[in-house]
Amino acid sequence: MDKLEQKLTQKVAESCVKAKLECGLDTAFVEKQLEQKGAAFMLKNLSKKGMVSPLFDQLKDKNRLDLSPEAIASKGEYAELFTDSEADWFLQILCEAGYF
């Protein structure tokens, strides 16, 4: 895993801690995915399947999509980790959820 992938994984892990503490969510599955494969791998696989991360809907319900892996990955600093179609997927689902 290169440094940018590590940085993304660390940011998503930090958001899991906040989601757990501030929103009371169970983040164990996402944390396990991060440990095993990293955030970029997890998000790429989800986008290929047209799926959102396990925390997405729960974070939407709590008005905390800023903590979602998709919102973090959509930041420009991580653009080189994802294809245009993957990045478009993150933006599409975030827009549909009213994030922007």
Side-chain angles (χ1 to χ4, degrees):
M1 192 180 317
D2 72 15
K3 287 187 180 201
L4 189 58
E5 288 176 295
Q6 289 174 346
K7 183 178 177 184
L8 174 62
T9 297
Q10 180 61 37
K11 290 289 182 188
V12 174
E14 290 168 6
S15 77
C16 282
V17 171
K18 287 182 180 180
K20 190 183 314 181
L21 295 175
E22 297 174 16
C23 303
L25 301 183
D26 179 2
T27 60
F29 180 78
V30 173
E31 291 177 278
K32 185 175 180 180
Q33 291 289 305
L34 296 177
E35 287 175 23
Q36 292 178 345
K37 300 176 181 173
F41 184 86
M42 176 185 76
L43 287 162
K44 285 174 169 291
N45 280 339
L46 289 169
S47 70
K48 282 181 198 172
K49 298 173 185 174
M51 296 173 64
V52 296
S53 63
L55 297 176
F56 188 88
D57 290 327
Q58 295 172 71
L59 289 167
K60 178 184 173 190
D61 291 344
K62 302 274 187 183
N63 293 319
R64 290 304 310 265
L65 277 175
D66 60 301
L67 298 177
S68 71
E70 292 85 353
I72 296 166
S74 71
K75 294 180 179 173
E77 65 189 289
Y78 303 114
E80 69 183 69
L81 295 175
F82 301 101
T83 65
D84 287 345
S85 64
E86 291 164 346
D88 287 347
W89 172 247
F90 304 147
L91 294 174
Q92 176 188 336
I93 60 173
L94 289 164
C95 285
E96 289 173 359
Y99 180 66
F100 295 111

